[in-house]
Amino acid sequence: MTFSPSFEDRTDFDNATRGFIRALKPCIIRNADGRVVWNNDEYDFLHNTECPATAEPKLWRQGQLNSIQGLFQVTDGIYQVRGFDISNMTVVEGEKGVIVIDPLTSVECAAAALALYRGHRGDRPVTGLIYSHSHGDHFGGAQGVLQSGTSTSIPIIAPEGFMEEATSENIYVGEAMRRRARCMYGVRLPKGPDGHIGCGLGMITSSGTMSLIPPNVTISHTGEERTVDGVRIEFQMVPGTEAPAEMNFYFPERKALCIAECATHCLHNVLTLRGALVRDAKAWARYLDETAVLYGQRADVLFAGHNWPTWGRDEIVKFISEQRDLYAYLHDQTVRMMNTGLTGIEIAERFTLPPALQMAWHAQGYYGSVSHNVKAIYQRYLGWFDGNPAHLWEYPPAEAGQRYVDCMGGVDEVVRKAREYANNGDVRFAVTLLGHAIAAHPEHKESRLELASAYKKLAYGCENATWRNFYLSGAQDMYSPGRRDNPEPPKNEYRAALSVEQLFTLLSVELDGPRAVGESFMIDLHLADKKESWRLILSNGALTYRMTKSQDRSMGTSGLRLTLTKNELVQILNGRGAIPDNSAEGDVGLLFKLMKLVGASKTPASVL
């Protein structure tokens, strides 16, 4: 039996508007060149019309809540700016200025959020900055509230492991993640009742300049306390939950708990559709239980990096406890059913949450879904293989598609059968059949149009925003084969924040191995400002690297030795820098050869 929350319950709307001070009108934010990087006004249709047939009612409701924008007072001395990005920015007033928590994704949006606050409370200086965790929508706008090179007297606080995780998540498969993210967040979709209506956690990510100011204060253990600008803060470490490096924190004098992104007003992702390491749902539940014990009877208000706050101790304990039970139940029952021999797909089809969680608005699957979270938990423990030998060595889609189409009597017959299934209500299987047809015959127009129609039918019934966005993005691609409207990507200003080892890791995974198999050479780099020496080794199509002593040549002689700074190295790797004069010994051509093997665009500009 399935249950559903009551649409007559207006508590979330009351909380999402509580403490409202003022909105930004129009809520349109531009970069220095005049390009729009955020436009919340595009979602006004959510408040002007009833839920249409092209949207699932609960997801429509979530879009209405998340699109409420402006400056809000959370409690005495704590304010939030919501609706300026997919995430929230929080401002805590101290004795001399303000502490900013999680400065959004973009510099421009963070600056606009701080300006809105200052327009109400005065031009207070930023006296502290806190990153709750290592995801870009919680640190990317840092230079919008603090300039790079800010005095080290201003504490910039982050959990242990923050820099490594913040800079490394996208190193290995960054481009693949970005392609998926465009579909997951629906960045190409038009805003409207039959298009983009949000992402569950918020509306969409902003598209301005991303930055990162490294922290100068690290929190390493639960119970650690800091006083910033006269404000006392208690910290709880929660690594491996929603992010590898994450922390919650409590303001005793304000009786306010920031729960980072560990408990939001929706089911979160155990594995995001854009891709990432599978999160530990069991640890997530354990940390939420610890949060309830530490702060549940002390906090009068709970706020997070997304959605809206929760007020009242009883409501806070209920909220945290139900979120805890949500992840615990997902984990434990998936593992139990795994041990009975069921596969991830089979478990996902049978899985039902307890009635109380089904009826809780904050446990609905707007961002993460029960279906794909169950499969993620299965993947964490047992991997991609489901134990069926028939699935060990399957054909890739194009080759499998050709055989399926042949078995069914040709592509036209596949389309006919798919249309028949769709008309009878089995759109899921229609999509499977049409997927085989298009894999075998990518330009077959009737297949593409039929699949686009099927995708839209699935999208319009989705409670999950990211599923809806994926389906609608897929429909766009079917209507326009070969077309990829890739909007201007956000400008990243934090590549220089990567460690030297991370820079070489990035270089190694960009190397075109098949083209490089015939090359074998070594390059020694001495980074004068870091007082570090590194050796790059290209052999058998693999680029490896190690830190060395500057004069250590016991493992062979390199063909090129360079002395430069880390910043000069970054510029060279970005294809924008030149090799400093009188810095090279040996064959400079080896560096050009290496850079061509990782992409011509990264070839050094010149040799001065």
Side-chain angles (χ1 to χ4, degrees):
M1 183 179 295
T2 59
F3 299 84
S4 182
S6 170
F7 279 88
E8 295 180 2
D9 181 358
R10 302 291 292 178
T11 303
D12 285 339
F13 286 92
D14 293 340
N15 286 344
T17 54
R18 179 171 171 172
F20 174 74
I21 296 170
R22 69 173 59 167
L24 179 64
K25 295 184 178 181
C27 193
I28 299 172
I29 301 170
R30 301 176 184 272
N31 68 5
D33 298 327
R35 179 175 66 85
V36 173
V37 300
W38 180 257
N39 185 351
N40 200 72
D41 292 356
E42 291 183 302
Y43 297 102
D44 285 350
F45 67 87
L46 286 162
H47 303 279
N48 299 329
T49 58
E50 296 295 322
C51 179
T54 54
E56 198 277 336
K58 287 187 289 184
L59 181 59
W60 185 266
R61 175 186 183 275
Q62 187 77 350
Q64 291 178 320
L65 288 160
N66 281 328
S67 60
I68 297 170
Q69 60 90 2
L71 175 68
F72 302 81
Q73 183 174 20
V74 176
T75 190
D76 289 343
I78 299 181
Y79 296 80
Q80 274 195 324
V81 179
R82 302 197 287 271
F84 278 40
D85 209 314
I86 194 172
S87 49
N88 304 328
M89 190 173 95
T90 305
V91 179
V92 179
E93 294 180 347
E95 293 177 353
K96 298 179 180 179
V98 295
I99 304 161
V100 173
I101 301 171
D102 290 354
L104 309 180
T105 308
S106 299
V107 169
E108 297 85 353
C109 292
L114 186 59
L116 184 66
Y117 163 82
R118 285 172 168 167
H120 175 67
R121 297 291 290 168
D123 191 14
R124 305 181 183 212
V126 174
T127 52
L129 179 60
I130 301 177
Y131 303 133
S132 69
H133 63 288
S134 53
H135 289 154
D137 54 326
H138 298 266
F139 65 75
Q143 290 185 17
V145 297
L146 281 180
Q147 295 299 310
S148 182
T150 295
S151 169
T152 55
S153 64
I154 296 177
I156 303 172
I157 304 172
E160 186 174 44
F162 172 85
M163 278 301 294
E164 178 181 354
E165 300 299 339
T167 56
S168 69
E169 180 174 274
N170 295 328
I171 286 180
Y172 290 105
V173 288
E175 188 52 44
M177 282 187 174
R178 281 186 284 275
R179 283 197 301 272
R180 286 195 183 189
R182 285 193 285 267
C183 295
M184 174 179 171
Y185 293 116
V187 296
R188 295 180 291 140
L189 299 177
K191 314 300 189 296
D194 57 354
H196 195 275
I197 59 174
C199 295
L201 274 180
M203 300 316 296
I204 199 169
T205 53
S206 62
S207 59
T209 303
M210 289 192 71
S211 64
L212 174 56
I213 302 176
N216 52 31
V217 177
T218 297
I219 304 301
S220 60
H221 64 272
T222 294
E224 190 168 347
E225 291 193 15
R226 298 276 174 166
T227 298
V228 180
D229 192 14
V231 178
R232 187 160 64 94
I233 312 170
E234 300 177 15
F235 294 91
Q236 179 200 12
M237 296 296 293
V238 290
T241 54
E242 186 272 337
E246 190 152 357
M247 63 186 183
N248 300 328
F249 35 98
Y250 177 69
F251 298 90
E253 281 71 35
R254 317 286 171 88
K255 294 181 171 55
L257 171 63
C258 177
I259 202 162
E261 203 167 320
C262 294
T264 57
H265 285 276
C266 61
L267 170 60
H268 213 294
N269 284 308
V270 176
L271 176 62
T272 72
L273 299 187
R274 67 177 173 85
L277 297 177
V278 179
R279 294 158 184 172
D280 188 343
K282 189 68 168 176
W284 201 329
R286 286 198 303 267
Y287 280 121
L288 282 170
D289 187 65
E290 182 181 70
T291 304
V293 171
L294 290 173
Y295 308 115
Q297 295 301 321
R298 301 168 62 195
D300 289 338
V301 62
L302 174 151
F303 62 92
H306 295 273
N307 307 133
W308 49 94
T310 299
W311 283 269
R313 294 186 183 181
D314 290 345
E315 289 302 312
I316 289 170
V317 170
K318 183 174 185 288
F319 175 68
I320 296 174
S321 299
E322 287 181 341
Q323 286 276 308
R324 173 201 63 198
D325 294 347
L326 179 60
Y327 296 106
Y329 193 88
L330 279 167
H331 176 275
D332 295 348
Q333 297 311 305
T334 298
V335 172
R336 179 182 65 82
M337 287 189 271
M338 284 164 48
N339 285 323
T340 68
L342 295 177
T343 67
I345 293 174
E346 291 168 336
I347 298 169
E349 290 298 301
R350 301 184 186 195
F351 204 100
T352 303
L353 289 172
L357 296 180
Q358 290 186 50
M359 292 187 292
W361 277 115
H362 64 84
Q364 305 303 302
Y366 308 126
Y367 189 59
S369 76
V370 168
S371 178
H372 74 246
N373 280 346
V374 163
K375 295 168 191 171
I377 293 166
Y378 182 96
Q379 176 185 323
R380 180 179 176 89
Y381 289 104
L382 293 181
W384 64 269
F385 180 49
D386 63 3
N388 185 341
H391 300 153
L392 268 176
W393 193 27
E394 294 181 294
Y395 282 110
E399 294 186 32
Q402 292 167 4
R403 288 161 174 79
Y404 279 108
V405 168
D406 180 59
C407 288
M408 294 184 66
V411 67
D412 292 328
E413 180 61 15
V414 174
V415 173
R416 187 191 71 77
K417 289 295 294 182
R419 186 180 295 120
E420 183 179 309
Y421 274 102
N423 290 339
N424 289 330
D426 193 351
V427 184
R428 290 172 67 184
F429 190 64
V431 164
T432 299
L433 289 180
L434 292 165
H436 289 310
I438 289 170
H441 301 281
E443 302 305 321
H444 190 263
K445 184 175 181 181
E446 193 173 0
S447 298
R448 300 185 74 89
L449 293 178
E450 199 66 35
L451 183 54
S453 176
Y455 278 157
K456 289 169 72 174
K457 288 178 181 177
L458 289 175
Y460 295 158
C462 277
E463 173 186 291
N464 184 281
T466 62
W467 286 33
R468 175 188 173 95
N469 293 337
F470 248 102
Y471 282 134
L472 291 179
S473 296
Q476 275 188 335
D477 292 339
M478 292 303 104
Y479 287 131
S480 304
R483 178 175 172 232
R484 285 287 187 273
D485 285 336
N486 295 335
E488 182 180 345
K491 181 181 177 184
N492 290 324
E493 296 290 351
Y494 64 92
R495 182 67 65 92
L498 297 178
S499 69
V500 176
E501 184 170 7
Q502 287 172 335
L503 288 169
F504 293 150
T505 298
L506 184 60
L507 201 64
S508 69
V509 299
E510 290 178 338
L511 181 76
D512 187 338
R515 287 178 54 215
V517 291
E519 302 290 345
S520 180
F521 55 81
M522 294 185 292
I523 298 175
D524 285 338
L525 299 174
H526 178 65
L527 303 178
D529 55 330
K530 294 288 183 180
K531 297 181 173 58
E532 294 178 2
S533 294
W534 291 79
R535 171 163 288 184
L536 305 182
I537 306 162
L538 180 63
S539 60
N540 296 309
L543 180 67
T544 57
Y545 43 88
R546 71 170 80 101
M547 188 180 290
T548 64
K549 295 180 180 179
S550 58
Q551 302 302 317
D552 184 2
R553 301 180 185 179
S554 60
M555 298 297 291
T557 303
S558 65
L560 173 64
R561 291 184 295 280
L562 285 176
T563 299
L564 67 175
T565 66
K566 184 195 170 188
N567 183 61
E568 289 169 338
L569 174 64
V570 169
Q571 295 304 313
I572 288 172
L573 296 183
N574 284 336
R576 296 196 297 265
I579 298 172
D581 193 19
N582 299 323
S583 68
E585 297 179 40
D587 184 3
V588 176
L590 292 179
L591 184 59
F592 284 83
K593 184 178 292 186
L594 174 62
M595 298 308 288
K596 286 180 180 178
L597 290 171
V598 298
S601 64
K602 288 186 169 58
T603 301
S606 63
V607 179
L608 292 177

